[in-house]
Amino acid sequence: MHSAPAPDSCPTCLKPNHLCICEAVQPIDNGVFLLILQHPQEKRENLGTAQIAHLQFANSMVKVGLSWPGLKRILGREVDPKRWGVLYLGPVKDGGAPRPEVAVVDKDGQPLRGSADILDDLEGVIVLDGTWSQAKTLWWRNAWLLKCRRIVLNPQFRSLYGQARKEPRRDSVSTLEAGAFLLSRLEGDQTIMDTALKPFSLLLKKLRTRRPRPTPMQPTPPAGEDAAPAVADGEGGDGA
């Protein structure tokens, strides 16, 4: 669960009030569940997209922390990890063959035969939210993730982040973009991604707009002295 937002932040999207994106939220009734495991330090990022993804996808959950006992404890019910996928952070060996947009790989990064059937049977997917190093920390601190299907993405688009946030790889995308892209392919509906990214686009637009500066306060005159008049004596006005 998220801790209480800062007083100057929106309680729904958790962004600073001047960056609130709630007006663009359009919840999507996704069939494949989206679980986001967020590194605690990522919560402080104004550019973070985990909460946006949670708002956009009706069947989703965000868990903040470094480690959890297992998927069953997170979801509060029995679960078959083989019917859950996790975005894989390791290297992928494709042997020079064209890479599909979404594929399942083994522990060595080798594409599995029958990936399409595995993807069709998924109940949910897990995305690790944070910087590259933070995501790797989550991967190594939660050994139960190894029981899930390793999924790799090969997106043919550049992240909306652009120059707003430095990423370690050219094909790096935000948590929202990764989740939306994956769900759009698993459910065969491109409109999922188009709709999901609208609040993210609004966030980036607001970030590029200079925040209005507060009007400077007039200094308080020293005790015993009157404040300077708006119009000096004998200048302007209807004096006698």
Side-chain angles (χ1 to χ4, degrees):
M1 295 178 62
H2 286 284
S3 57
D8 60 345
S9 296
C10 172
T12 301
C13 69
L14 308 182
K15 298 297 181 188
N17 288 328
H18 71 287
L19 297 178
C20 175
I21 49 77
C22 291
E23 64 193 85
V25 170
Q26 298 176 261
I28 300 166
D29 188 18
N30 51 306
V32 179
F33 196 91
L34 176 64
L35 173 61
I36 301 171
L37 303 182
Q38 184 181 58
H39 192 284
Q41 293 180 2
E42 183 67 12
K43 287 181 61 180
R44 300 192 293 266
E45 291 291 335
N46 285 342
L47 279 170
T49 61
Q51 181 66 4
I52 299 177
H54 179 46
L55 294 175
Q56 286 292 78
F57 292 105
N59 296 315
S60 67
M61 178 187 296
V62 178
K63 299 293 288 186
V64 182
L66 291 174
S67 61
W68 298 266
L71 191 53
K72 176 181 176 181
R73 289 287 295 275
I74 293 175
L75 298 174
R77 57 181 173 82
E78 293 292 336
V79 62
D80 179 3
K82 292 300 182 183
R83 296 192 62 205
W84 279 75
V86 57
L87 290 190
Y88 181 57
L89 303 177
V92 179
K93 302 174 183 178
D94 53 24
R99 288 178 55 187
E101 290 185 314
V102 181
V104 183
V105 299
D106 63 19
K107 62 183 179 63
D108 297 316
Q110 297 280 2
L112 287 177
R113 293 182 178 180
S115 282
D117 291 335
I118 294 173
L119 293 172
D120 285 343
D121 191 48
L122 288 181
E123 176 188 347
V125 291
I126 303 167
V127 180
L128 307 180
D129 181 59
T131 64
W132 192 252
S133 62
Q134 290 167 357
K136 287 195 292 185
T137 296
L138 293 175
W139 176 267
W140 291 115
R141 293 191 61 156
N142 293 276
W144 55 268
L145 288 171
L146 301 177
K147 298 178 182 179
C148 301
R149 301 289 191 174
R150 295 173 173 87
I151 298 177
V152 293
L153 303 182
N154 182 33
Q156 302 300 307
F157 64 91
R158 296 296 299 275
S159 173
L160 292 179
Y161 271 140
Q163 300 300 315
R165 186 170 185 178
K166 186 178 181 180
E167 299 294 337
R169 303 193 319 194
R170 184 179 182 277
D171 59 350
S172 296
V173 296
S174 68
T175 293
L176 171 63
E177 289 168 317
F181 176 73
L182 178 54
L183 291 177
S184 71
R185 296 308 183 262
L186 292 179
E187 303 193 11
D189 185 355
Q190 175 60 36
T191 63
I192 288 178
M193 187 161 184
D194 297 336
T195 301
L197 297 189
K198 289 180 180 179
F200 188 30
S201 297
L202 177 61
L203 173 64
L204 294 172
K205 179 180 179 180
K206 289 190 173 186
L207 278 166
R208 296 187 188 105
T209 303
R210 186 180 297 276
R211 184 180 182 182
R213 295 182 178 181
T215 303
M217 297 180 63
Q218 296 295 329
T220 303
E225 295 185 13
D226 294 329
V231 180
D233 292 344
E235 296 182 8
D238 293 326

